[in-house]
């Protein structure tokens, strides 16, 4: 008998937590405890369970005694694995529960939890325990020991890599025995096993999830809406994320690292970067049906704001947008976003106004019954071009839109021809590409207006690109 190093696993129900407990029980240096705080939880909360009386009679109901005498009591092996449900972390428990030992969090998408949850108890926000998981993560982070987070989807998709990564994070050696176990009830099971563990007792490993899941019970739709943001919040801390379509890419380095944490205006609210999203029913997603302006901020002022707003409204009018925000409303959104971010100089705003969300997918503006969507994306961004050294340009084969097709005076978001020209510039390792109109005359670059400082009179006569000798580029 001696002191065991405690490993705390925190999760919500139906998250493969029992399988993970079986995985750790296969190790020769680990003893496991199945929800040692369950009796304390039932006693304090008074919640009803079909096995309530049996749990209270067979387990210690005093939580602090459990923490001191059982969780951190003497052990026979080097490690003690404690499987906890997050909702069992109740007020009044000793601080040692969180301060001592190693912790990690296991999460699972509520889409996968809710279809089978109500086999024992009806699902609720409380029973899911995702809010408590977020609270536990933040509490541990404030203690200076942010816990590793693993996703049940990773355990199913690639159990060995996920378990090796978890062991590395916990600073314990990985053992191959963790990948398999014998089927059937275990001696470590809690007394609630007959109600909750029937399916996991048939398993012998982390089985890969079915390609096509079971239908979602839409009676739980409101609960999904409440819980999914909490799951996504924790999922951002997962070391490796699964993808339905392909292997996930490593997180890229941002051109300006300070932009990793910024606030953007979307619709009618300011939200963090990772939450700055529009609906899949929005017209900008459905067909690039949006107008935009690029604004720069210098010394506390937005450069030529009124002129840019004039063009934004002209473009929206040309595309027959309805229920457009007022000029004052857009200004207020811009200024609030800049102030919230503390951006008063050397920053850039991508201002977008979409036709708005549709009631159903399709091209017809008659489906746009929600009003326009306003997006104010402010970033720390130095000037794109080097005005001292100059830039290198190439002529693109992709032509600028003709007014007979889509008038380029409308500053719209349908920028595919500009993007194709930019690809040509990138392939030529140039800074940008000059685009010609359908007759071969100079129009603009893929991103900016053009002015020839020495031959403005020639430009007025619409000469061809080959006649221009010296170009200077400017952006607003």
């Amino acid at each position: 008998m001696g002191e065991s190093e405690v490993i705390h696993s925190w999760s919500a129900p139906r998250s493969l937590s029992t399988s993970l407990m079986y995985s750790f029980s296969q190790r020769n240096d680990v003893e496991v405890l199945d929800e040692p705080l369950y009796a304390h939880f039932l006693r304090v909360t008074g919640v009803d369970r079909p096995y309530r009386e049996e749990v209270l009679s067979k387990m210690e109901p005093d939580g602090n005694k459990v923490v001191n005498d059982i969780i951190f009591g003497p052990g026979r092996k080097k490690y003690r694995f404690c499987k906890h449900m997050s909702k069992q972390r109740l007020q009044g428990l000793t601080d040692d529960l969180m301060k001592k030992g190693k912790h990690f969090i296991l999460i699972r998408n509520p889409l996968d939890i809710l279809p089978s949850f109500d086999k024992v108890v009806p699902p609720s926000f409380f029973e899911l325990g995702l809010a408590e998981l977020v609270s536990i993560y933040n509490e541990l982070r404030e203690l200076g020991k942010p816990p590793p987070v693993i996703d049940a989807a990773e355990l199913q998709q690639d159990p060995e890599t996920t378990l090796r990564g978890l062991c590395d994070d916990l600073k314990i050696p990985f053992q191959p025995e963790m990948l398999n176990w014998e089927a059937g009830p275990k001696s470590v099971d809690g007394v609630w096993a007959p109600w909750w563990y029937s399916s996991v007792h048939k398993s012998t490993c982390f089985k890969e999830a079915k390609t096509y899941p079971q239908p979602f019970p839409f009676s739980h739709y409101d609960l999904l809406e409440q819980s999914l943001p909490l799951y996504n919040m924790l999922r951002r801390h997962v070391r490796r994320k699964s993808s339905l379509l392909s292997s996930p890419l490593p997180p890229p380095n941002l051109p300006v690292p300070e932009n990793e944490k910024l606030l953007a205006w979307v619709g009618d609210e300011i939200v963090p970067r990772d939450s700055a999203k529009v609906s899949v029913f929005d017209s900008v997603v459905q067909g690039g049906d949006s107008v935009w302006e690029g604004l720069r901020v210098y010394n506390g002022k937005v450069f030529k704001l009124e002129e840019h707003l004039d063009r934004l409204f002209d473009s929206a009018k040309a595309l027959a947008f309805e229920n457009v925000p007022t000029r004052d409303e857009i200004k207020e959104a811009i200024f609030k976003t800049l102030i919230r971010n503390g951006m008063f100089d050397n920053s850039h705003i991508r201002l977008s106004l979409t036709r708005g969300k549709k009631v159903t997918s399709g091209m017809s503006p008659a489906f746009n019954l929600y009003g326009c969507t306003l997006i104010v994306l402010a970033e720390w961004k130095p000037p794109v071009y080097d005005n001292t050294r100059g830039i290198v340009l190439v002529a693109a084969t992709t032509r600028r839109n003709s007014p007979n097709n889509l008038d380029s005076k409308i500053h719209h978001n349908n920028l595919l021809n500009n993007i194709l020209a930019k690809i040509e510039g990138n392939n030529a390792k140039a800074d940008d590409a000059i685009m010609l109109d359908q007759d071969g005359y100079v129009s603009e670059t893929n991103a900016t207006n053009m002015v020839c400082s020495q031959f403005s009179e020639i430009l007025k006569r619409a000469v061809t690109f080959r006649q221009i000798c010296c170009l200077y580029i400017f952006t607003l």
Side-chain angles (χ1 to χ4, degrees):
M1 299 292 288
E3 184 176 352
S4 297
E5 186 170 12
V6 177
I7 298 172
H8 301 274
S9 168
W10 297 96
S11 64
R14 318 300 287 179
S15 298
L16 302 189
S17 57
T18 304
S19 295
L20 190 59
M21 180 181 71
Y22 291 166
S23 170
F24 272 83
S25 70
Q26 297 304 110
R27 296 176 60 103
N28 57 20
D29 56 358
V30 171
E31 60 177 338
V32 302
L33 295 178
D34 190 5
E35 300 182 40
L37 290 167
Y38 207 158
H40 173 75
F41 168 77
L42 293 177
R43 179 181 64 84
V44 173
T45 63
V47 299
D48 188 28
R49 291 290 188 272
Y51 41 80
R52 174 185 169 87
E53 296 306 319
E54 186 177 3
V55 171
L56 290 173
S57 65
K58 292 184 177 180
M59 296 181 66
E60 172 58 60
D62 185 320
N64 286 326
K65 283 186 178 180
V66 173
V67 173
N68 295 325
D69 301 338
I70 299 176
I71 293 178
F72 294 116
R76 298 182 181 276
K77 295 189 177 181
K78 185 174 183 180
Y79 303 106
R80 175 176 290 137
F81 180 91
C82 294
K83 170 192 159 192
H84 302 294
M85 292 296 103
S86 59
K87 60 179 179 282
Q88 295 168 9
R89 169 70 176 112
L90 300 177
Q91 294 293 325
L93 290 172
T94 174
D95 292 340
D96 284 349
L97 178 64
M98 307 306 289
K99 290 181 177 180
K100 295 173 64 175
K102 301 176 178 181
H103 299 257
F104 74 91
I105 289 176
L106 170 65
I107 60 173
R108 193 179 189 191
N109 194 323
L111 271 171
D112 298 321
I113 295 176
L114 289 170
S116 64
F117 194 100
D118 55 4
K119 290 182 178 180
V120 179
V121 295
S124 67
F125 188 76
F126 168 73
E127 292 291 354
L128 274 178
L130 279 165
E132 287 76 13
L133 274 183
V134 172
S135 177
I136 287 168
Y137 179 87
N138 289 329
E139 184 177 353
L140 289 168
R141 186 175 62 177
E142 288 173 2
L143 289 172
K145 44 194 297 186
V149 181
I150 61 172
D151 196 317
E154 311 299 342
L155 279 173
Q156 292 180 301
Q157 185 180 58
D158 191 350
E160 181 171 351
T161 300
T162 304
L163 289 173
R164 284 184 179 275
L166 176 60
C167 289
D168 286 344
D169 289 334
L170 296 174
K171 294 180 173 54
I172 66 173
F174 170 76
Q175 291 185 6
E177 291 78 9
M178 298 176 71
L179 297 173
N180 300 95
W181 53 87
E182 292 184 0
K186 311 291 183 186
S187 60
V188 298
D189 289 344
V191 297
W192 49 89
W195 286 268
W196 286 102
Y197 295 175
S198 58
S199 60
V200 75
H201 280 161
K202 301 174 184 177
S203 69
T204 59
C205 60
F206 294 104
K207 293 182 179 179
E208 189 170 351
K210 295 179 180 179
T211 302
Y212 299 106
Q214 58 183 307
F216 183 78
F218 280 87
S219 58
H220 302 331
Y221 189 84
D222 290 346
L223 184 54
L224 177 67
E225 279 194 316
Q226 296 169 21
S227 57
L228 199 54
L230 299 172
Y231 163 77
N232 288 329
M233 188 184 307
L234 290 167
R235 190 172 182 270
R236 287 200 290 270
H237 301 287
V238 174
R239 175 198 284 195
R240 175 180 173 272
K241 299 180 179 68
S242 63
S243 171
L244 291 175
L245 302 179
S246 62
S247 298
L249 296 173
N253 295 322
L254 301 182
V256 181
E258 289 78 6
N259 288 327
E260 182 179 1
K261 296 180 180 178
L262 54 78
L263 300 168
W265 182 286
V266 181
D268 59 358
E269 61 179 343
I270 293 179
V271 292
R273 176 182 178 124
D274 286 343
S275 300
K277 302 170 184 177
V278 296
S279 168
V280 293
F281 287 96
D282 198 283
S283 288
V284 71
V285 179
Q286 294 278 323
D289 191 2
S290 174
V291 296
W292 69 282
E293 292 294 323
L295 312 172
R296 287 205 65 84
V297 180
Y298 301 104
N299 297 320
K301 295 183 179 180
V302 182
F303 183 67
K304 290 190 177 293
L305 175 59
E306 298 297 340
E307 290 86 341
H308 278 288
L309 291 181
D310 286 342
R311 184 167 65 173
L312 184 79
F313 284 113
D314 289 344
S315 297
K317 182 178 180 180
L319 294 177
F321 280 16
E322 295 184 357
N323 299 309
V324 176
T326 66
R327 183 178 290 252
D328 286 343
E329 288 172 334
I330 294 177
K331 283 184 178 180
E332 183 178 348
I334 291 172
F335 298 149
K336 282 184 176 179
T337 304
L338 289 173
I339 292 169
R340 287 292 192 187
N341 284 290
M343 294 179 179
F344 307 112
D345 192 24
N346 203 32
S347 52
H348 176 270
I349 302 168
R350 175 80 175 208
L351 179 68
S352 299
L353 185 68
T354 85
R355 195 182 296 271
K357 191 169 64 172
K358 293 177 177 290
V359 294
T360 186
S361 60
M363 287 188 292
S364 175
F367 297 147
N368 291 83
L369 302 179
Y370 294 96
C372 294
T373 302
L374 178 65
I375 302 170
V376 183
L377 173 57
E379 296 179 275
W380 299 107
K381 186 175 288 188
V384 175
Y385 302 115
D386 187 339
N387 293 325
T388 302
R389 179 184 61 85
I391 65 173
V392 176
L393 300 172
V394 296
T397 60
T398 303
R399 296 299 175 97
R400 196 74 175 97
N401 285 329
S402 164
N404 295 327
N405 299 324
L406 182 57
D407 194 344
S408 295
K409 289 193 295 294
I410 302 173
H411 213 224
H412 55 79
N413 279 62
N414 198 325
L415 299 173
L416 281 178
N417 63 335
N418 300 63
I419 293 170
L420 291 171
K422 180 61 176 176
I423 290 172
E424 293 186 60
N426 288 347
N427 290 339
K429 301 190 183 311
D431 295 289
D432 261 332
I434 294 176
M435 299 181 71
L436 312 180
D437 65 16
Q438 61 181 355
D439 297 317
Y441 292 99
V442 170
S443 177
E444 59 184 23
T445 79
N446 59 272
T448 67
N449 300 318
M450 292 177 52
V451 172
C452 180
S453 61
Q454 297 181 18
F455 301 107
S456 57
E457 292 303 317
I458 299 177
L459 277 176
K460 288 178 183 178
R461 296 195 293 272
V463 297
T464 64
F465 172 67
R466 288 182 293 275
Q467 294 174 272
I468 297 178
C469 302
C470 180
L471 291 171
Y472 292 87
I473 308 303
F474 72 93
T475 61
L476 298 183

